[in-house]
Amino acid sequence: MSLDALTDAEKEKLAQLQAITNGADVDTQISLLQSVDWDLQAALQAIYGEERPNASVYHSNNAVEEQARLLEPMEVDDSLVFDAQSRPTYPSFRSGMRGVGIFSLLTAPFSFTLGLLASLFHYVFRVLRIPFPRLNTLSLSLNRSAGGRGGGRRRRGSHSDDPSVVAERWVRELEEETGAVCISKAALMEAQAEGDEAGPSNRPVRRHPVKAKTLPDFFLGGYDAALKAAEREARVLCVIITSEEHDDSPAFRKEVLTDPEFVHALTDNRVMVWGGDVRDRDGYQASMKLGATTYPFVAFSSLYGRPHGPDRMSVISRHSGSPTSITSVETLTGHLTNLVLPRVAPVLRRKQAETQSREYERRLREEQDRAYAEAQHKDYERIMKRRQEEEQERREEERRRMEAEEREELLRYEAAQRKRRAGERMAWRRYARRALVPPEIPGSKSAMPIRFRMPSGKLIVRKFEPTDTITGLYAFVASQFIPDSETPDGDPYSPPCDEDDEEAAEFDLDGYDWDWEFQVAVAFPKQTIPWERGSDKKIGSISALKGGANVVVEMKASEDDDKAPDTDDDTPSEDSL
């Protein structure tokens, strides 16, 4: 594939890959980038010797956007770098197949034995708290013969490691390699040693504690997190990136990073230090953002004022090269104290003043809140006493309200029952009017006129045949309690019982117990005309009714204690049949 057929983005990634690999074969690199869907990180991972990633994993727009964000360079201000530094390209990484040679097989037993003895001595010295530099005893191992410089180190390039875990591992390996400890840890060890000397006489005392070499305190997190922390705390950030593939990195770690002058210059000026290896993902991303090409690499970043816009983190200077010249202790210390700190001090002091002002306001708000809480606490007992009284009154009122609701609910229930019984009674009256009331025969000579005096005082005259039954007479009286709005045309043809009820299935019109709520009596002489269940007694068989009579309808005492029907519609209110 020719270069002319590539897009601008693909040409840019190809140029970056060529700069890192020191200008390898173009066709090979194009094929490699195509195989990983032009993912630069995946291509570098394949060059480092990791298992070639599947191109489909990186076939995602989100992955491309994330990679572009991670490789976005920081704003760089190199005006403080007093020496023009040549920036060589990245050392070429071996991309060939790693194998096991004859020499590796012959030296493997010796390497294993030497590594076992070194590990044993290292453990004993650590137990005795004696600094012991880590030896790359496996330099003759299989990885060494395969071309790796850091044979004793953990294999890099894992993308699943947390940045904090990677940073902590890098610091731990640095301590093992240099035989030094971070300055805060060294101070803790000295304090413990002093405590042992001041302890009881029967305890073992180390009379002459060994002064351990020290390292700066490193920020245990990712590079982006270190930038945010330095910006938040208004501190200078010193970024240190090393590479196992570079010959100057071991000397830089052992001589520069452990130098007391350099360590105290960083510590006394509250410089935040972050370090990493370019083989780690976070270290590689930091190197791309800072434009690192030669290792060891040191950069100083800080908040820096801009003519237009707010202050932001900027790269003040970058140093890369030999620890005997460009990255030596004298060069870095002098540059930090004489140029970097004086230039950024006004911005940092302003930022710190703003932070202190916010902190003062926060403490003031806390004091005000505390005073308010104390005032609330003083009023608490008085308020709680009043609340208890109110709560007692509320409970008493709630009890009375619930009792009233229960009474009202009971009254509503009784009223609903009376209404239901009244509805059922009215339905039976209408059924009785259709089924039991005998028809009045016009012009009948044998008909007997009977005058009914209703409980309301209303007089009703009706003619009955001598063959009409007493049940029919009582049914006629009951029909007089039906409102005029309920016409006979709407009377039911069947008894008002549920169809599934056994009573409806076994209903007997002649033998049904109607349980009339009234009784009929002859006015003078006073004689009650009784109704008997199942009786077919005729009106003509009663001597007091022969030829006609005046009768009185008298209401019985109901279970609802209703004494008389409603005078408006002549209907006995809520009495059961």
Side-chain angles (χ1 to χ4, degrees), residues 60 78 275 330 380 390 394 498 537 568:
S60 172
D78 278 344
E330 294 78 9
Y380 178 76
E390 293 177 354
R394 187 191 63 79
D498 294 337
K537 192 173 183 178
D568 293 338

Side-chain angles (χ1 to χ4, degrees), residues 396-430:
E396 185 66 22
E397 182 66 23
E398 182 70 15
R399 183 185 63 80
R400 291 193 294 267
R401 185 185 63 80
M402 292 182 64
E403 291 178 355
E405 289 180 354
E406 290 177 358
R407 289 194 298 269
E408 292 177 0
E409 183 67 22
L410 180 60
L411 293 176
R412 286 194 297 269
Y413 175 76
E414 293 176 352
Q417 292 297 321
R418 288 194 298 270
K419 185 177 181 180
R420 179 186 61 80
R421 289 194 298 270
E424 293 177 355
R425 185 169 57 247
M426 187 59 64
W428 281 103
R429 286 172 180 171
R430 298 187 64 184

Side-chain angles (χ1 to χ4, degrees), residues 71 91 137 165 170 173 239 262 265-266 268 279 302 334 367-368 399 410 429 431 454 463 486 496 503 544 574:
L71 297 181
T137 57
V165 176
W170 185 83
E173 292 178 351
V239 179
F262 181 65
L266 296 174
D268 296 342
R279 296 178 300 168
S302 176
E367 293 177 358
Q368 293 174 349
R399 183 185 63 80
L410 180 60
R429 286 172 180 171
Y431 174 70
M454 302 300 294
K463 292 182 179 181
E486 304 291 342
E503 183 179 359
E574 303 162 1

Side-chain angles (χ1 to χ4, degrees), residues 239-269:
V239 179
I240 299 173
I241 303 177
T242 61
S243 173
E244 287 295 329
E245 301 294 335
H246 203 285
D247 295 332
D248 292 332
S249 292
F252 174 79
R253 289 192 293 265
K254 294 178 181 180
E255 297 174 3
V256 178
L257 294 184
T258 61
D259 186 271
E261 181 182 359
F262 181 65
V263 173
H264 286 292
L266 296 174
T267 305
D268 296 342
N269 293 288

Side-chain angles (χ1 to χ4, degrees), residues 131 133 177-183 186 210-215 254 258:
E177 179 183 0
T178 60
V181 293
C182 293
I183 190 169
V210 178
K211 295 292 184 180
K213 293 192 297 183
T214 57
L215 291 166
K254 294 178 181 180
T258 61

Side-chain angles (χ1 to χ4, degrees), residues 77-213:
D77 182 1
D78 278 344
S79 61
L80 288 185
V81 181
F82 45 85
D83 290 332
Q85 304 176 20
S86 61
R87 301 192 179 279
T89 59
Y90 280 91
S92 60
F93 298 97
R94 293 177 174 85
S95 58
M97 295 295 293
R98 294 189 178 185
V100 180
I102 299 177
F103 181 75
S104 301
L105 295 176
L106 294 177
T107 58
F110 300 99
S111 301
F112 177 76
T113 305
L114 184 58
L116 183 61
L117 293 176
S119 300
L120 179 60
F121 278 107
H122 191 203
Y123 173 75
V124 173
F125 274 66
R126 286 180 63 88
V127 170
L128 298 177
R129 293 184 178 178
I130 299 175
F132 182 76
R134 186 178 67 89
L135 300 178
N136 290 331
T137 57
L138 299 180
S139 60
L140 297 178
S141 62
L142 300 179
N143 289 338
R144 186 64 171 176
S145 64
R149 288 178 177 261
R153 288 183 176 272
R154 183 184 182 273
R155 191 176 186 181
R156 305 278 181 165
S158 176
H159 288 194
S160 61
D161 286 343
D162 183 82
S164 300
V165 176
V166 175
E168 185 177 359
R169 183 182 66 228
W170 185 83
V171 173
R172 184 173 61 252
E173 292 178 351
L174 182 62
E175 289 179 342
E176 293 177 356
E177 179 183 0
T178 60
V181 293
C182 293
I183 190 169
S184 59
K185 188 185 299 184
L188 180 61
M189 294 171 58
E190 291 181 3
Q192 292 177 350
E194 292 176 359
D196 292 340
E197 292 180 356
S201 59
N202 58 351
R203 295 176 61 186
V205 177
R206 180 179 296 173
R207 297 298 180 183
H208 302 285
V210 178
K211 295 292 184 180
K213 293 192 297 183

